[in-house]
Amino acid sequence: MEKSCSLLIHFDKGTPALANEIKEALEGNDIPAKIEAMKKAVMLLLNGETLPQLFITIIRYVLPSEDHTIQKLLLLYLEIIEKTDSKGRVLPEMILICQNLRNNLQHPNEYLRGATLRFLCRLNEVDIIEPLIPSIMNNLEHRHPYVRRNAILAVMSVYKLPHGEQLLVDAPEKIENVLTTEQDPSAKRNAFLMLFQCAQERAINYLLTHVDRVSDWGELLQMVVLDLIRKVCRTNKAEKGRYIKIIISLLTAPSAAVTYECAGTLVSLSSAPSAIRAAANTYCQLLQSQSDNNVKLIVLDRLNELKSSHKDVMVDMIMDVLRALSSPNLDIRRKTLDIVLELITPRNINEVVLTLKKEVVKTQSGELEKNGEYRQMLIQAIHSCAIKFPEVASTVVHLLMDFLSDSNVASAIDVVVFVREIIETNPKLRVSIVTRLLDTFYQIRAARVCSCALWIIGEYCLSLSEVESGIATIKQCLGDLPFYSVSEESEAADSSKKTQQANSITTLSSRRPAVLADGTYATQSAASETAFSPPTVVQGSLTTGNLRSLLLTGDFFLGAVVACTLTKLILRLEEVQPSKLEVNKATTNALLIMVSMIQLGQSHVLPHPMDNDSHDRIVLCIRLLCNTGNEVRKIWLSSCRESFVNMLSDKQLRETEEIKAKAQISHSQPDDLIDFYHLKSRRGMSQLELEDEVQDDLKRATGEFVKDENDANKLSRVLQLTGFSDPVYAEAYVTVHHYDIVLDVTVINRTKETLQNLCLELATMGDLKLVERPQNYTLAPESSKQIKANIKVSSTETGVIFGNIVYESSNVLERTVVVLNDIHIDIMDYISPAVCSEAAFRTMWAEFEWENKVAVNTVIQDEKGFLDHIIKSTNMKCLTAPSALEDECGFLAANLYAKSVFGEDALVNLSIEKQSDGKLSGYIRIRSKTQGIALSLGDKITLKQKGGN
């Protein structure tokens, strides 16, 4: 059985020292050897050894030592050895210790006195402490503050013992006198703490007597004062007004810890706008004054909580919160932007956007490592602002379009998606956006950005000049045609065959560099100098930033997008261009481009041929330009835009539903008390108390007070641990709260005998850890006992708690053991639905290394019904748009997402298909960063997917 100790010491279990060796070292005169021997003895005791033969040796040879280190180790030894027998009586040999402790308490050395007093704080044996009471009380007046502060703590611990009040009847009065005269901050804090815990009324009287001097007290004492105020106001809310002034006065204290605790205390005690505003101001000041990133993150968490419950007050603080963007830490910036985006109103939107624009400009000039990620965060924030308040889009869209060619591809994609949405929702900006996009299109470097930009050009170039500019821009970015020469293709094929047969050596004199149409360098054969064309093996470069270089890398999906864009522009040109000759000329050029791309894809110039999908798409565009029907023209020029508008509507609808889901919905009961604020007596009430009354009434009226969970939900958490026929019946109520699990176990003695030394022994499996061991109890016949056990959770993993109840009775000599049912901790208690963007989901899916693949095996035959069942069973959020799940086509694919209380991400992809016999088949894939959540969630899905509860 491991023993508790106040000091953790490393111990190598592989080489335990023998008791005889330790005894010999202790009996010698070598001080370092004695120190090592004492350390070994302490470590052996901590690891379950008893070593009874060492006690007398230590009394004879260690007790008289004057060395401070030996005396400190002696106190540790005395702390962990058994001091009582099996019946709870103090062992006779402990009397030998009392004299030594009394001598230490009267020793001229302050360190020995203080260390001994601290040791007494951890003693629970009244028989040992009682003879030392006079010496402890005398140390309250010692000249050294180190001794006095430890003497106060010793008095407090003795007073809190079961019979401590009888040992120290006048302790509170003496400590109050010490508090009045004490000058040392630590000793003063300990004295006030003693009164706070042992004589609360005296602490309150002292506080109210010196209320004007609280701001001058030391930091340690002020922290205890705040603890006292919280405790008093929690038990007696009517006393709140007396202490609010003290809290407000401490908001300006020089200590950051005190101001932080003050703000938290103020928020917990009052919901008045002036109190919340004062607390928010304090948090914002801490955000600026503290350099520690961890402190900033904690303060931002507090501001986020205020935002949830007091949004109206926090709206006025938005610019103060935005100042946290000056920190170079990305986590702080991300959390700051998340808070700010939910506080935006028509009054402050212009200021917020102006600040964000300035931050975007700063990312251009700075050379910081994380500038690209920060710019992406700012672009997403501006995007969100522009969607909520379209009137600000005109002030930011042109600035952001400068980043279409950003080296950070993710940032450039965010910009082009933002431009695509703004050009649809703000028709007035269409002309300026299209013009700017055409001017900067040649600078775009990424294929995905080019694809989206081409779609915008194809959909929103409406006038004659815009259509002609769009076609000319695409032609310019593609360069001269063809993309390769036929003679060089055959030369490439011949040279590849020769290379396979023999390693032929090409002389440098026969080849020299040449400049291609896309601006890149390549090696040109002297034999084909007369018929210049791109090289045999074309090396496209993303750094050139045009369509030709991207196509020459083998990106034929982009080629298909180019073909679709040209097709849309030609169809629109037919509507706006009166000259048939110009239309035919443009059509011919477009067909030449498409055919050239097909030839490039089918040639041996590139290492990989064109994929079938891109080939079919380009061929469809060629056929369409050769023979156009009215129905097809309508699909290409109207239906695409309508689908995009529907997508935006679905997105906005989902966001609205999420906002409604977050809102707290509760209703007051018919017989709830209604307080009429205007009819109340205001005599003696401060302005803050009056505001509190108004806020409470408003909360009751709007149903903001959250009700406790219903009784049915509570009953579902009660688990039966033993059978009804067992002599001891036990059941547990399990409460899971983030990192803690609390087991409230009810134990009932169903026999006619008294059960002695009844103990609830628990053990855990998984990432669960018992905080403390439950103690022994005595149960009278047919009586019950409530036993609480705290368990710490360190990760999202299904854990098991098992154990037994052990007790003794008068009839049975041996101890009786009742084995308990296992308690399985459900992973659903740790995860909650969350939302992330599609891009973030894909990024995490690619990065996470743990995957659990579960085959679908269910009696449910409806695809949507099975998805709903999995969502309900796993407590996850479906990220796939509802419109994508509506039609019945025989298969379904959806992405689910959740986040654990430990910040872990859980990703699920559901892919199912309905077979000919009506059954569903497919797979559910789970990915996460840690193995535990992937396995636990997979087990949960396997258990629940058949349709069981």
Side-chain angles (χ1 to χ4, degrees):
M1 192 75 173
E2 294 182 359
K3 307 295 177 62
S4 60
C5 178
S6 61
L7 181 65
L8 293 176
I9 304 173
H10 172 71
F11 176 67
D12 186 2
K13 293 185 177 180
T15 58
L18 296 175
N20 292 335
E21 296 176 5
I22 298 174
K23 187 175 181 181
E24 290 176 6
L26 293 176
E27 290 175 352
N29 296 323
D30 187 3
I31 298 297
K34 276 190 176 183
I35 292 173
E36 288 301 317
M38 284 298 297
K39 287 182 179 179
K40 290 177 181 178
V42 169
M43 289 187 286
L44 283 170
L45 286 167
L46 287 175
N47 282 271
E49 302 291 336
T50 54
L51 305 178
Q53 65 272 32
L54 286 183
F55 183 77
I56 298 300
T57 303
I58 289 174
I59 295 296
R60 291 179 60 190
Y61 297 99
V62 179
L63 212 61
S65 176
E66 293 291 330
D67 185 80
H68 291 175
T69 305
I70 291 178
Q71 288 295 324
K72 180 68 176 176
L73 290 169
L74 174 63
L75 293 175
L76 285 173
Y77 171 80
L78 295 177
E79 181 183 342
I80 58 179
I81 62 172
E82 288 290 346
K83 305 172 194 64
T84 58
D85 57 17
S86 59
K87 296 183 178 180
R89 293 176 295 192
V90 176
L91 296 171
E93 52 265 32
M94 288 297 119
I95 304 301
L96 300 172
I97 304 298
C98 290
Q99 185 59 40
N100 177 68
L101 294 176
R102 186 186 292 107
N103 293 339
N104 284 352
L105 292 175
Q106 298 171 358
H107 200 280
N109 184 276
E110 294 87 358
Y111 174 77
L112 275 181
R113 285 200 185 205
T116 306
L117 287 165
R118 289 187 70 82
F119 163 71
L120 293 177
C121 294
R122 296 186 287 273
L123 275 187
N124 297 320
E125 289 74 23
V126 176
D127 293 339
I128 299 176
I129 293 175
E130 188 173 3
L132 307 175
I133 295 295
S135 300
I136 296 173
M137 301 303 289
N138 290 336
N139 280 305
L140 290 174
E141 301 174 359
H142 194 273
R143 59 180 178 80
H144 202 284
Y146 175 71
V147 177
R148 295 199 302 272
R149 72 174 74 124
N150 285 304
I152 295 170
L153 290 177
V155 171
M156 179 175 69
S157 63
V158 172
Y159 193 81
K160 289 165 71 175
L161 290 174
H163 303 287
E165 296 181 14
Q166 299 174 8
L167 296 176
L168 294 170
V169 180
D170 56 347
E173 184 180 350
K174 287 192 175 182
I175 295 298
E176 188 174 8
N177 295 334
V178 170
L179 180 61
T180 307
T181 58
E182 184 58 65
Q183 299 300 319
D184 180 66
S186 295
K188 201 164 187 175
R189 174 257 182 196
N190 291 350
F192 191 82
L193 181 64
M194 189 272 173
L195 293 180
F196 166 35
Q197 295 191 358
C198 302
Q200 189 171 303
E201 287 301 322
R202 289 181 182 270
I204 293 171
N205 291 336
Y206 180 83
L207 175 61
L208 297 178
T209 306
H210 301 82
V211 68
D212 297 330
R213 297 172 55 190
V214 173
S215 55
D216 299 328
W217 289 352
E219 173 188 352
L220 297 173
L221 184 54
Q222 288 175 344
M223 297 288 279
V224 181
V225 167
L226 290 172
D227 286 340
L228 173 65
I229 291 173
R230 277 196 293 267
K231 183 177 180 181
V232 172
C233 294
R234 197 176 292 121
T235 55
N236 188 3
K237 293 184 179 181
E239 298 289 324
K240 184 168 55 176
R242 302 168 66 185
Y243 302 101
I244 292 291
K245 294 178 182 177
I246 299 175
I247 299 173
I248 292 176
S249 68
L250 289 177
L251 283 174
T252 56
S255 168
V258 172
T259 54
Y260 173 81
E261 287 295 330
C262 269
T265 304
L266 196 58
V267 171
S268 65
L269 296 183
S270 174
S271 57
S274 56
I276 301 302
R277 194 172 291 108
N281 269 320
T282 302
Y283 285 140
C284 290
Q285 290 171 9
L286 289 172
L287 209 54
Q288 295 302 311
S289 61
Q290 298 301 304
S291 57
D292 190 332
N293 289 339
N294 292 320
V295 174
K296 288 178 181 285
L297 289 170
I298 291 170
V299 171
L300 285 170
D301 284 337
R302 301 291 83 76
L303 286 170
N304 192 34
E305 292 171 3
L306 284 183
K307 177 209 69 182
S308 303
S309 53
H310 304 280
K311 188 174 181 179
D312 294 340
V313 177
M314 285 299 297
V315 164
D316 299 330
M317 312 295 300
I318 190 168
M319 298 310 295
D320 295 319
V321 177
L322 266 176
R323 291 195 183 97
L325 292 177
S326 59
S327 170
N329 185 275
L330 276 183
D331 292 328
I332 294 173
R333 287 170 163 174
R334 184 179 292 107
K335 195 164 283 190
T336 301
L337 290 173
D338 290 341
I339 294 172
V340 166
L341 289 178
E342 295 190 33
L343 297 175
I344 296 174
T345 63
R347 286 185 300 146
N348 57 33
I349 181 63
N350 291 324
E351 289 181 288
V352 172
V353 170
L354 183 61
T355 303
L356 296 179
K357 283 171 62 178
K358 289 179 180 177
E359 291 295 319
V360 170
V361 173
K362 286 180 186 177
T363 62
Q364 287 179 288
S365 57
E367 296 297 331
L368 296 176
E369 183 183 354
K370 301 283 188 178
N371 262 359
E373 293 182 50
Y374 181 40
R375 189 185 305 124
Q376 184 183 356
M377 288 162 48
L378 291 169
I379 290 169
Q380 291 171 352
I382 293 174
H383 185 177
S384 178
C385 294
I387 298 304
K388 290 180 181 177
F389 302 94
E391 62 272 11
V392 303
S394 59
T395 63
V396 295
V397 66
H398 296 296
L399 170 68
L400 294 185
M401 289 182 74
D402 291 336
F403 297 100
L404 284 173
S405 57
D406 196 349
S407 57
N408 184 354
V409 178
S411 177
I413 291 173
D414 286 336
V415 172
V416 77
V417 169
F418 168 69
V419 171
R420 184 182 67 180
E421 194 164 343
I422 292 302
I423 199 172
E424 173 60 38
T425 56
N426 292 264
K428 294 179 181 179
L429 300 176
R430 186 192 63 79
V431 176
S432 61
I433 290 176
V434 168
T435 305
R436 183 67 180 276
L437 183 59
L438 292 174
D439 290 341
T440 58
F441 183 78
Y442 72 95
Q443 299 175 347
I444 298 176
R445 303 175 184 177
R448 289 183 62 190
V449 181
C450 273
S451 299
C452 193
L454 286 169
W455 187 88
I456 295 172
I457 291 171
E459 288 293 336
Y460 296 98
C461 287
L462 303 180
S463 65
L464 176 60
S465 60
E466 290 172 351
V467 172
E468 290 177 343
S469 298
I471 296 173
T473 300
I474 293 173
K475 283 183 63 179
Q476 181 185 1
C477 291
L478 287 171
D480 296 334
L481 300 177
F483 294 106
Y484 73 98
S485 67
V486 178
S487 62
E488 198 157 319
E489 181 190 7
S490 60
E491 185 180 318
D494 293 340
S495 64
S496 63
K497 291 178 182 178
K498 291 178 182 178
T499 305
Q500 293 173 0
Q501 295 171 359
N503 293 328
S504 59
I505 301 175
T506 304
T507 59
L508 293 174
S509 60
S510 65
R511 294 182 178 273
R512 64 168 181 255
V515 180
L516 305 182
D518 64 346
T520 58
Y521 287 99
T523 303
Q524 179 186 2
S525 174
S528 60
E529 186 175 357
T530 55
F532 171 75
S533 67
T536 303
V537 180
V538 184
Q539 296 292 338
S541 173
L542 289 176
T543 57
T544 56
N546 53 35
L547 291 176
R548 188 185 188 90
S549 64
L550 293 170
L551 280 175
L552 294 180
T553 59
D555 190 347
F556 290 107
F557 175 77
L558 179 62
V561 176
V562 170
C564 292
T565 304
L566 285 172
T567 303
K568 290 179 184 178
L569 291 175
I570 297 299
L571 292 177
R572 194 162 281 117
L573 185 65
E574 293 176 0
E575 295 181 349
V576 297
Q577 174 60 268
S579 173
K580 294 293 182 182
L581 182 63
E582 293 295 327
V583 174
N584 292 337
K585 184 179 177 182
T587 305
T588 304
N589 289 331
L591 290 171
L592 181 59
I593 291 171
M594 296 178 198
V595 171
S596 298
M597 286 191 292
I598 291 178
Q599 284 183 339
L600 177 66
Q602 294 176 343
S603 69
H604 297 286
V605 174
L606 297 178
H608 301 290
M610 178 184 289
D611 60 282
N612 293 332
D613 289 339
S614 299
H615 178 271
D616 294 345
R617 189 72 169 165
I618 296 174
V619 170
L620 175 65
C621 293
I622 293 173
R623 289 176 177 172
L624 182 61
L625 290 179
C626 294
N627 185 14
T628 308
N630 291 331
E631 290 298 324
V632 177
R633 182 188 300 273
K634 182 181 178 182
I635 292 172
W636 278 73
L637 295 183
S638 303
S639 299
C640 291
R641 177 92 65 85
E642 291 172 1
S643 299
F644 179 59
V645 171
N646 292 335
M647 187 192 80
L648 292 181
S649 301
D650 287 346
K651 179 182 175 184
Q652 189 173 5
L653 181 63
R654 276 193 292 165
E655 290 175 352
T656 305
E657 290 176 352
E658 288 169 8
I659 293 172
K660 288 181 180 178
K662 287 181 181 178
Q664 295 177 346
I665 302 175
S666 58
H667 304 283
S668 299
Q669 295 299 319
D671 55 349
D672 279 356
L673 178 67
I674 299 177
D675 290 327
F676 291 94
Y677 159 70
H678 292 287
L679 301 180
K680 280 188 173 182
S681 172
R682 306 187 189 183
R683 186 176 301 172
M685 295 179 71
S686 64
Q687 182 62 31
L688 203 62
E689 290 176 281
L690 293 175
E691 290 182 18
D692 259 344
E693 293 290 338
V694 175
Q695 290 300 313
D696 288 348
D697 289 347
L698 283 174
K699 286 182 179 180
R700 288 191 182 92
T702 56
E704 192 174 326
F705 285 126
V706 182
K707 303 295 182 184
D708 293 334
E709 56 181 339
N710 56 38
D711 294 335
N713 194 14
K714 285 184 178 180
L715 288 173
S716 67
R717 293 182 174 272
V718 177
L719 302 174
Q720 184 178 339
L721 300 181
T722 63
F724 292 112
S725 60
D726 287 319
V728 175
Y729 175 77
E731 63 181 22
Y733 177 69
V734 183
T735 305
V736 179
H737 182 70
H738 295 300
Y739 300 92
D740 300 306
I741 298 174
V742 179
L743 296 182
D744 194 351
V745 183
T746 302
V747 180
I748 302 174
N749 180 6
R750 304 182 68 239
T751 67
K752 302 292 184 180
E753 303 171 357
T754 300
L755 304 183
Q756 297 177 346
N757 294 329
L758 183 141
C759 179
L760 175 67
E761 297 179 349
L762 296 175
T764 59
M765 187 172 65
D767 286 339
L768 305 175
K769 184 179 180 182
L770 284 169
V771 177
E772 57 189 7
R773 293 181 178 84
Q775 59 189 22
N776 293 341
Y777 302 94
T778 300
L779 267 185
E782 298 183 352
S783 64
S784 63
K785 183 72 180 177
Q786 299 283 339
I787 303 175
K788 283 196 175 183
N790 295 316
I791 297 168
K792 286 287 182 185
V793 186
S794 56
S795 72
T796 310
E797 185 177 345
T798 300
V800 180
I801 304 170
F802 52 92
N804 47 56
I805 293 176
V806 183
Y807 63 89
E808 297 174 354
S809 60
S810 56
N811 293 341
V812 183
L813 297 178
E814 296 181 355
R815 305 191 76 185
T816 306
V817 179
V818 179
V819 180
L820 305 179
N821 291 332
D822 296 345
I823 301 173
H824 293 267
I825 303 302
D826 195 350
I827 186 177
M828 296 300 104
D829 293 322
Y830 304 129
I831 68 172
S832 56
V835 179
C836 71
S837 64
E838 182 182 351
F841 186 92
R842 290 180 181 276
T843 302
M844 289 188 288
W845 187 267
E847 290 177 354
F848 290 174
E849 56 185 2
W850 290 103
E851 177 176 304
N852 191 2
K853 192 173 182 181
V854 179
V856 172
N857 181 16
T858 180
V859 296
I860 301 174
Q861 296 188 353
D862 178 57
E863 303 99 308
K864 188 70 169 57
F866 180 69
L867 173 63
D868 293 337
H869 176 68
I870 293 296
I871 292 172
K872 182 180 178 182
S873 302
T874 58
N875 196 25
M876 301 187 83
K877 174 75 176 177
C878 181
L879 301 182
T880 307
S883 57
L885 305 172
E886 285 176 356
D887 299 330
E888 294 186 6
C889 56
F891 64 89
L892 183 147
N895 293 331
L896 312 181
Y897 179 64
K899 211 171 182 67
S900 76
V901 296
F902 307 101
E904 299 167 318
D905 300 290
L907 312 178
V908 172
N909 173 259
L910 174 73
S911 299
I912 54 176
E913 181 182 4
K914 180 173 278 192
Q915 301 293 326
S916 56
D917 58 357
K919 293 184 178 180
L920 298 180
S921 66
Y923 291 97
I924 302 170
R925 292 196 293 166
I926 305 137
R927 285 197 183 182
S928 66
K929 215 169 196 175
T930 56
Q931 182 185 21
I933 193 169
L935 294 177
S936 301
L937 203 53
D939 294 341
K940 185 73 175 179
I941 291 174
T942 303
L943 181 67
K944 293 284 188 177
Q945 69 167 321
K946 291 188 177 182
N949 294 324

